[in-house]
Amino acid sequence: MNRLFAPIVFVLAALPVKAQTAPDDAPRLVVGITVDQLRSDYLERMSHLFGDKGFNRLTAGGTVYEQVSFGYARADRSSSTATIYTGAYPSWHGIISNERFIREERVVRPVLYDSEQLGNFTESALSPDALAVSTVPDELKSATLGKSRVYSVAPEADMAIIAAGHAANAAFWLDDATGKWATTTYYRDIPHYINELNIRDGVDMRIDTMVWKPLYGADKYTGIPYDTPEFLFGYRFAGADKYSNFKHSPLVNAEVTRVARKFIENGLLGRGEVPDYLCVGYYGGNYMGHSVQDYGAELQDAYIRLDGEIASLLDCIDKNVGLQNALIYVVSTGYTDAEGRPHGLYGIPTGEFYPRKAAALLNYYLMALYSHEQWVLGYNAGEIYLDKALVEKQGHDFDEFVVKSAEFLSQMEGVQDVMTARQIMHGDLSWVAPVRRKYNRKLSGDLVLTIQPGWEINYEDDTTPNKYVHYNAVPATLIFFGKNITPQHIMRQVNATQIAPTLSGALRIRAPSASASLALPEIK
């Protein structure tokens, strides 16, 4: 059904209908800025390094929510972006992680993988079909009978496509292999000015000469405690992973801004009879997942550069649409990639957990209990998948089979807890709620593992970086700025699921199909 949604909208838009115009109190342009791994505590610590037209402009003139909670366990880039734009938890919207395990194929693929699609400037086959519910841009398209224009750009494909939704004109991301701004054939609108950018001045044509150097001297980087850089850095991007490395540097944000500005300037967003929507994704994490203590100057420089990109985007909006006619919001994805630490440093408890080894040992255990079969299908994102069809075919009770598996895994060193699907779906809600909100009964595994804090997850391959386990709450910010926004700072905790209905209210449209939270009362 999702694949049919966008064409239907555009067919309806072609039919003769009564001319539609936006209500006077609705913004002409909504610009959603989602910053992957942005931290509000870092924004506060580094505010003295920022200029007057970026973050400081937003916080002085906007409504600032200091504490945003996503409300579920193991948030990541894909699931958080989907929650922001749908107003729902992963259990509803279906984006449970950056990747998903395909039981029938016994492989892990990108969460948006779609074999029926092709790519432009990419070999990736992707679409928003995995997104099971509507988004705010979808509802805007529906309300205006397809007249609103919706574009999305981000460093990563999942961030761009999920934000764009099903009915968008187009979504673009920087491809890891080509260094071009790529999109999927699912979307039908590829502006000529983006094609020209790819052909005449793509990142691939400039990357060999790009160098990331600090903007200031070492004495200026005072935003992170206990970190006094003795010397500064310089990074070039080369080799097979050069585009991936580039996307984990702040230089990628300048390229994102460049495309976003083209949508506004060349695409004339915000200058029609109905509101338009621009989704912008930035990267705000550590460089290549390195420690803040070891790479503090890099992180501070990244935030300073991000501040400059937001200032540039705001100036573009002001010049072409008028800030008084636009609604801009900035929100974090509410998580950070935990940083690795050397084992045993300062005597802090630690260890290594090997998911593939754990899955293999579980299968050996089950073979010893039952018969020589491949009972374990695979592992992904902290979840283990069992072959339910095989278990039932052999005449075993699946619930008993899962419980025995959980009991075996819980005895492994480094495992804090193991929850079964039945516990998650039917257990005491107050106890399992954060896990339940992330768990999708059609897509998630049969067992969900919690690894002890301080341990490192070693994925035993060359493509997946090790993950250092921390369960700290990540301070996340939400800022609204522009039309009808009153400057104020709100200290109470709000939920990320409230963003979508709040935006829908500002646009005077219905909320997304799975959005059950109330809108934030401060935004009218």
Side-chain angles (χ1 to χ4, degrees), residues 57 317 352 387:
R57 184 182 194 176
I317 297 167
E352 281 190 282
D387 194 334

Side-chain angles (χ1 to χ4, degrees), residues 62-328:
T63 295
V64 183
Y65 295 91
E66 303 283 0
Q67 302 181 63
V68 179
S69 170
F70 279 76
Y72 56 85
R74 298 174 289 120
D76 60 11
R77 185 181 63 239
S78 296
S79 63
S80 292
T81 303
T83 293
I84 291 166
Y85 279 90
T86 66
Y89 293 119
S91 58
W92 284 92
H93 61 59
I95 307 298
I96 58 175
S97 63
N98 295 335
E99 298 174 318
R100 58 176 170 164
F101 184 83
I102 311 298
R103 287 180 182 267
E104 297 78 14
E105 302 177 30
R106 302 190 181 192
V107 296
V108 175
R109 295 193 184 278
V111 67
L112 300 180
Y113 173 76
D114 185 345
S115 61
E116 296 185 18
Q117 300 298 329
L118 298 174
N120 290 315
F121 292 106
T122 179
E123 293 184 359
S124 298
L126 305 169
S127 85
D129 272 7
L131 192 61
V133 299
S134 69
T135 65
V136 178
D138 287 342
E139 296 295 343
L140 179 61
K141 275 284 192 182
S142 177
T144 62
L145 298 178
K147 291 184 177 180
S148 291
R149 291 165 296 172
V150 177
Y151 291 98
S152 180
V153 58
E156 302 291 351
D158 57 339
M159 205 172 185
I161 294 173
I162 291 169
H166 307 91
N169 294 70
F172 292 89
W173 65 91
L174 196 65
D175 187 69
D176 283 348
T178 66
K180 299 289 190 182
W181 286 107
T183 188
T184 163
T185 52
Y186 176 93
Y187 300 113
R188 305 302 184 187
D189 181 2
I190 303 176
H192 66 89
Y193 47 85
I194 303 299
N195 268 336
E196 289 177 3
L197 177 62
N198 272 332
I199 294 169
R200 298 175 185 273
D201 197 24
V203 173
D204 59 314
M205 300 177 182
R206 295 175 281 119
I207 195 165
D208 292 337
T209 61
M210 289 183 177
V211 182
W212 175 24
K213 293 181 179 179
L215 292 173
Y216 303 132
D219 60 320
K220 295 291 185 180
Y221 294 97
T222 57
I224 296 180
Y226 315 112
D227 178 63
T228 305
E230 298 178 3
F231 57 89
L232 291 175
F233 56 87
Y235 297 104
R236 292 184 179 273
F237 307 96
D241 297 329
K242 61 183 178 182
Y243 297 120
S244 177
N245 294 343
F246 179 77
K247 285 160 60 172
H248 286 85
S249 81
L251 300 193
V252 74
N253 292 333
E255 302 299 325
V256 170
T257 302
R258 190 180 187 196
V259 174
R261 289 181 64 114
K262 284 190 174 294
F263 286 134
I264 296 171
E265 295 166 348
N266 298 67
L268 304 178
L269 293 187
R271 278 159 281 185
E273 295 179 340
V274 294
D276 295 322
Y277 208 119
L278 176 60
C279 310
V280 181
Y282 287 124
Y283 179 69
N286 297 347
Y287 181 58
M288 300 304 297
H290 293 304
S291 160
V292 172
Q293 265 60 49
D294 296 334
Y295 287 75
E298 285 89 336
L299 182 63
Q300 293 177 76
D301 194 73
Y303 269 66
I304 295 168
R305 289 176 180 272
L306 177 59
D307 177 66
E309 296 310 319
I310 288 179
S312 173
L313 187 57
L314 290 176
D315 283 345
C316 179
I317 297 167
D318 196 19
K319 179 181 178 181
N320 291 276
V321 183
L323 291 174
Q324 73 280 5
N325 298 317
L327 176 61
I328 299 112

Side-chain angles (χ1 to χ4, degrees), residues 34-37 70 75-77 80-81 84 159 331-335:
T34 305
V35 186
D36 187 29
Q37 303 179 61
F70 279 76
D76 60 11
R77 185 181 63 239
S80 292
T81 303
I84 291 166
M159 205 172 185
V331 62
S332 167
T333 51
Y335 80 100

